[in-house]
Amino acid sequence: MLSKAIEIRIRYGETDAMGVVYYGNYSLYLEEGRTEWLRDIGYTYKGLEDSGIMLPVVQLKIDYKHPAGYDDLIRVTTRLKELPTAKITFLYEVHNQEERLLCKAETSLAFVDKKTGKIRRAPDYLIKRIKELV
């Protein structure tokens, strides 16, 4: 399905005592990937929040293959797994500048009504836009 690739330069503060990217920072890279994926199709997290929709992460899976280090240039490719329902699921691959696969990941985010805190269906305008692009 729809995909978007972004590049991120690893900063020194993102590495640990062993000189590699601290594993928890990958979730931030994935967030940046899906944020830009959403922007690429014409929407933003802020816009969704302003319209009363929150998107909390409800599941995160990461399969680490190889480490990244300070000043590496990584590419995060984000792909929509399927049409959203009450949740939206993304698949990711992270590669370094030598095209080495660093990790594969998957996140699922729930559509939540900001006022009630209850899970709701994805907005029709978002589903319509995705269908137009597929």
Side-chain angles (χ1 to χ4, degrees):
M1 240 181 195
L2 301 173
S3 70
K4 168 76 175 170
I6 62 166
E7 290 186 338
I8 299 170
R9 178 78 59 187
I10 303 299
R11 296 172 294 192
Y12 184 78
E14 296 167 344
T15 62
D16 61 18
M18 296 180 288
V20 299
V21 171
Y22 175 68
Y23 75 94
N25 286 325
Y26 283 89
S27 64
L28 298 173
Y29 306 148
L30 304 180
E31 179 182 10
E32 193 168 341
R34 69 179 171 269
T35 297
E36 292 306 317
W37 179 93
L38 193 60
R39 186 181 314 279
D40 199 49
I41 67 162
Y43 298 98
T44 64
Y45 270 109
K46 183 174 181 349
L48 287 170
E49 289 177 0
D50 289 348
S51 72
I53 299 170
M54 302 297 288
L55 277 170
V57 173
V58 295
Q59 186 175 50
L60 166 65
K61 299 177 194 174
I62 301 179
D63 184 13
Y64 299 98
K65 305 288 188 184
H66 295 282
Y70 170 61
D71 205 41
D72 282 356
L73 185 62
I74 62 170
R75 184 181 69 253
V76 180
T77 303
T78 305
R79 184 169 47 93
L80 184 66
K81 184 175 182 180
E82 58 202 2
L83 276 176
T85 54
K87 71 177 182 178
I88 187 167
T89 301
F90 295 99
L91 303 173
Y92 310 84
E93 286 191 356
V94 180
H95 291 83
N96 66 9
Q97 62 270 10
E98 285 90 32
E99 296 300 322
R100 186 173 212 182
L101 179 63
L102 304 179
C103 74
K104 287 186 168 191
E106 180 175 329
T107 59
S108 293
L109 296 86
F111 290 92
V112 174
D113 184 283
K114 195 173 182 177
K115 288 182 184 173
T116 66
K118 296 185 188 258
I119 293 175
R120 54 158 289 171
R121 294 197 49 81
D124 290 337
Y125 61 83
L126 182 63
I127 293 171
K128 179 181 177 201
R129 178 68 176 143
I130 291 169
K131 285 181 177 179
E132 289 171 359
L133 296 170
V134 172

